[in-house]
């Protein structure tokens, strides 16, 4: 196991700068998820960690030692890719043990370690099968076992679940996280899927255009996003945003926009009259006959236990999450309230949290 530390990392592909001055620490045994939209630099950071890509400037440390110039095979890191890259002519056991063969580990030990790793990922019965005889999820597990068998200090995962269907993805999320809890190996996992990040991570690193937008636990990112960008990226359905102003009625500040008047926490320090963007997560909007937000129901979308209410509030689209038995009718008017401490205020210019 190991710590991983990035100190002021900059990465350029010729003159194209994809990452600037990025600093980040990953603790021993931590499950860190690099989350961000396509092209933000997640894979590049992972590949630099593995030694598959050079670092233009800055220091990359594994267990406190600078490894910028250390070749991949000497970094003691195992990587699982999106396309599992299994050898089609090798059995499950041979695929898993292959990296040990290259490292000249004796045959009996190879066999023992491959069997152990296969058992850990639930493939103990399938050692003699070929990749073509396995399902997508089983192939992904072979790729994981192949990484685990190395007993590496750090596991790197690059979007390992994106080729799987939704049900299998949910199952593999759980399996990978369970495996991590059992082995305790420091893990860096790349995804653009916020659900994967929220469900698996100890620490989410939200990236944006080659820099870090926010680092925190899933709860921290959900409850206190540092910016409108972070607020919008985390949570499904996405947060509602509405532009308005902060007004003061004596000691009681309020957010006011067309058709909306919401009490704000009294501790708020934003000056009255300031323009702000108010963010409200759909599950924080509560159906309430006395609520100060009035909306017309455009569509009720049933998702199983919940229903997503698509509303028009003063001409603006809003989504509220209600329970499936909520008495609502398409075209009808509904009233909603939201607790003051569930409101998120952002600066309209910078997008930063106020
Ligand atoms: P995705 O989720 O689509 O894989 P990502 O966040 O992992 O995206 P990267 O693959 O790290 O993004 O790419 C970051 C940026 O660097 C992109 O603009 C990409 O086009 C660019 N890039 C990546 N590899 C190279 C390369 N070898 N040469 C030039 N540009 C590159």
């Amino acid at each position: 196991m190991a710590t991983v530390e990035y100190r002021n990392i900059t990465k350029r592909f010729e003159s194209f700068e994809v990452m600037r001055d990025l600093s980040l620490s990953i603790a021993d045994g931590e499950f860190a998820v690099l989350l961000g939209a396509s092209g933000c630099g997640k894979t590049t950071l992972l590949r630099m960690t593995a030694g598959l890509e050079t670092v233009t400037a800055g220091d990359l440390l594994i267990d406190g030692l600078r490894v910028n110039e250390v070749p991949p095979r000497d970094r003691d890191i195992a990587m699982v890719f999106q396309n599992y890259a299994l050898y089609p002519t090798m059995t499950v056991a041979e695929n898993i043990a292959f990296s040990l063969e290259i490292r000249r580990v004796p045959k009996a030990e190879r066999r023992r370690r491959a069997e152990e790793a296969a058992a850990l990922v639930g493939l103990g019965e399938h050692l003699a099968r070929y990749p073509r005889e396995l399902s997508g999820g089983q192939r992904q597990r072979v790729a994981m076992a192949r990484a685990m068998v190395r007993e590496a200090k750090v596991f790197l995962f690059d979007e390992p679940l994106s080729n799987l269907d939704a049900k299998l993805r949910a199952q593999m999320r759980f399996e990978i996280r369970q495996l991590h809890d059992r082995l305790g190996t420091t893990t860096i996992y790349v995804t653009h899927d916020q659900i994967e990040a929220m469900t698996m991570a100890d620490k989410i690193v939200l990236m944006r255009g080659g820099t870090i937008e926010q680092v925190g636990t899933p709860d921290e990112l959900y409850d206190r996003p540092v910016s409108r960008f972070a607020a919008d990226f985390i949570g499904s359905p996405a947060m509602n945003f509405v532009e308005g102003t902060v007004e003061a009625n004596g000691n009681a500040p309020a957010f006011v926009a067309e058709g909306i008047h919401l009490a704000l926490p009294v501790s708020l320090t934003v000056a009255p009259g300031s323009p702000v963007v108010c963010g409200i997560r759909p599950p924080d909007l509560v159906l309430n006959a006395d609520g100060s937000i009035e909306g017309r129901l455009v569509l009720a979308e049933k998702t199983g236990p919940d229903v997503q209410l698509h509303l028009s509030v003063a001409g603006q689209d809003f989504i509220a999450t209600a329970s499936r038995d909520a008495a609502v009718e398409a075209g009808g008017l509904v009233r909603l309230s939201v607790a003051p401490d569930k409101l998120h205020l952002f600066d309209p210019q910078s997008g930063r949290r106020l």
Side-chain angles (χ1 to χ4, degrees):
M1 289 201 277
T3 56
V4 180
E5 199 178 338
Y6 305 90
R7 286 191 192 156
N8 310 101
I9 300 279
T10 293
K11 173 66 184 171
R12 276 189 292 272
F13 290 106
E14 295 175 4
S15 62
F16 180 51
E17 187 173 87
V18 295
M19 199 168 293
R20 172 182 282 260
D21 208 20
L22 180 144
S23 294
L24 171 71
S25 290
I26 295 169
D28 187 19
E30 198 163 43
F31 196 116
V33 173
L34 305 180
L35 174 68
S38 183
C40 71
K42 312 177 292 289
T43 298
T44 302
L45 191 59
L46 205 67
R47 287 173 57 81
M48 286 193 284
T49 315
L52 301 173
E53 204 65 77
T54 56
V55 175
T56 310
D59 299 316
L60 172 57
L61 290 88
I62 298 179
D63 248 355
L65 293 176
R66 187 175 183 278
V67 296
N68 290 40
E69 281 79 37
V70 175
R73 65 176 177 280
D74 297 331
R75 291 194 186 192
D76 216 357
I77 275 179
M79 189 153 169
V80 178
F81 297 91
Q82 177 178 348
N83 57 350
Y84 330 126
L86 302 180
Y87 299 104
T89 56
M90 291 187 192
T91 64
V92 167
E94 286 163 352
N95 263 288
I96 296 175
F98 186 63
S99 66
L100 302 179
E101 199 176 327
I102 296 175
R103 284 174 174 72
R104 301 182 199 284
V105 174
K107 195 168 178 185
E109 189 182 340
R110 282 199 318 254
R111 182 81 202 169
R112 180 185 62 76
R113 279 165 64 176
E115 282 174 5
E116 260 176 32
L120 263 177
V121 297
L123 283 175
E125 308 290 302
H126 300 316
L127 284 165
R129 287 205 191 174
Y130 288 90
R132 65 174 180 278
E133 298 168 326
L134 300 173
S135 70
Q138 288 168 332
R139 281 181 213 158
Q140 183 52 265
R141 284 189 214 137
V142 178
M144 286 197 302
R146 191 175 48 181
M148 282 159 40
V149 80
R150 301 250 323 266
E151 295 171 358
K153 281 187 186 166
V154 182
F155 287 158
L156 305 179
F157 289 89
D158 190 5
E159 307 237 10
L161 308 185
S162 42
N163 290 340
L164 306 178
D165 66 37
K167 192 163 176 216
L168 202 50
R169 265 208 309 270
Q171 185 188 333
M172 293 302 292
R173 277 202 312 255
F174 168 73
E175 288 186 14
I176 293 176
R177 180 64 223 202
Q178 266 202 323
L179 208 56
H180 174 266
D181 291 347
R182 224 177 305 156
L183 301 175
T185 309
T186 309
T187 299
I188 309 177
Y189 184 106
V190 161
T191 183
H192 59 264
D193 180 349
Q194 58 97 22
I195 301 269
E196 275 175 33
M198 290 295 283
T199 51
M200 299 171 85
D202 293 320
K203 170 149 96 193
I204 296 178
V205 180
L206 178 62
M207 294 181 65
R208 178 186 191 182
T211 59
I212 293 178
E213 184 77 2
Q214 183 167 7
V215 180
T217 63
D219 281 347
E220 282 164 353
L221 268 87
Y222 189 82
D223 293 333
R224 284 196 65 81
V226 297
S227 62
R228 180 175 175 165
F229 176 87
D232 197 28
F233 210 94
I234 302 280
S236 176
M239 190 183 270
N240 300 290
F241 295 102
V242 51
E243 291 181 15
T245 0
V246 171
E247 290 188 2
N249 301 330
N251 265 346
F255 169 79
V256 181
E258 196 189 337
I260 297 176
H261 191 283
L262 296 167
L264 290 166
V266 277
S267 56
L268 191 83
T269 52
V270 180
S274 303
V276 293
V277 172
C278 181
I280 310 171
R281 294 213 181 272
D284 294 333
L285 281 162
V286 181
L287 287 170
N288 176 350
D290 298 327
S292 64
I293 304 177
E294 186 182 73
R296 187 169 294 283
L297 184 64
V298 179
L299 178 78
E301 212 177 29
K302 291 194 172 153
T303 56
D306 298 325
V307 52
Q308 308 301 341
L309 307 177
H310 292 257
L311 303 154
S312 173
V313 176
Q316 189 174 330
D317 294 342
F318 253 67
I319 298 186
T321 306
S323 80
R324 60 173 298 140
D325 48 17
V328 289
E329 253 176 64
L333 289 175
V334 295
R335 299 197 77 84
L336 302 146
S337 63
V338 50
D341 64 350
K342 298 290 186 191
L343 297 173
H344 306 261
L345 294 188
F346 303 101
D347 183 300
Q349 243 75 55
S350 67
R352 305 314 289 177
R353 185 184 190 87
L354 295 168

